[in-house]
């Protein structure tokens, strides 16, 4: 090898170091710009509510949940020979309070879940 080869290799190595340094400076500048932009956006947002602006409990006390079993209304049927009903003709199918308010439970002998490993009904 001669001196020109060594000088060319050293020049390429220096170019690589300079390139890494420039890319690093550009990345740091981009991160600083993004942080500053986020800080400006945060300043424009409304402040969090103060304690006196928080929701208050109603004077009657806490609101209670009601839990009940519901059953759907019957879906209207067409008479024989009529065209079938389309969804917009059905409207909203409501529900009503069920007569039996007992929660459905698994029947004895069933596995209780899909793939539960039980014997199930035989």
């Amino acid at each position: 090898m001669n001196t020109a080869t060594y000088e060319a290799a050293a020049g390429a190595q220096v170019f690589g170091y300079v390139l890494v340094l420039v890319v690093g400076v550009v990345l740091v500048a981009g991160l600083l710009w993004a942080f500053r932009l986020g800080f400006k956006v945060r300043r424009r947002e409304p402040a969090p509510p103060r304690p006196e602006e928080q929701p208050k409990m109603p004077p009657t006390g806490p609101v209670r949940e009601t839990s009940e079993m519901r059953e759907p209304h019957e879906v209207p049927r067409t008479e024989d020979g009529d065209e079938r009903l389309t969804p917009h003709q059905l409207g909203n199918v409501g529900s009503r309070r069920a007569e039996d308010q007992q929660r459905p439970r698994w029947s004895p002998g069933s596995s209780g879940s899909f793939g539960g490993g039980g014997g199930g009904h035989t």
Side-chain angles (χ1 to χ4, degrees):
M1 288 196 168
N2 57 19
T3 316
T5 309
Y6 287 122
E7 288 178 11
Q13 190 174 11
V14 169
F15 176 74
Y17 290 145
V18 170
L19 182 65
V20 168
L21 181 66
V22 169
V23 168
V25 168
V26 169
L27 285 176
V28 168
L31 288 172
L32 289 173
W33 175 81
F35 178 77
R36 189 167 175 224
L37 179 68
F39 192 71
K40 285 182 181 179
V41 169
R42 176 78 172 140
R43 275 194 170 168
R44 283 183 287 192
E45 291 178 353
R50 295 186 306 254
E52 60 269 5
E53 296 173 343
Q54 296 291 333
K56 303 283 187 246
M57 186 182 307
T60 58
V63 179
R64 303 277 188 246
E65 276 187 21
T66 58
S67 177
E68 64 181 9
M69 303 303 296
R70 308 282 297 172
E71 59 186 21
H73 290 301
E74 290 295 321
V75 177
R77 304 274 181 192
T78 61
E79 295 183 26
D80 293 334
D82 287 345
E83 290 186 23
R84 64 187 179 107
L85 295 175
T86 57
H88 74 275
Q89 291 170 322
L90 290 176
N92 292 332
V93 179
S95 64
R96 61 182 176 276
R97 189 173 196 274
E99 295 284 329
D100 181 21
Q101 288 295 309
Q102 296 293 325
R103 289 179 57 198
R105 300 288 182 191
W106 296 108
S107 53
S110 69
S111 66
S113 67
F114 180 75
H121 292 289
T122 55

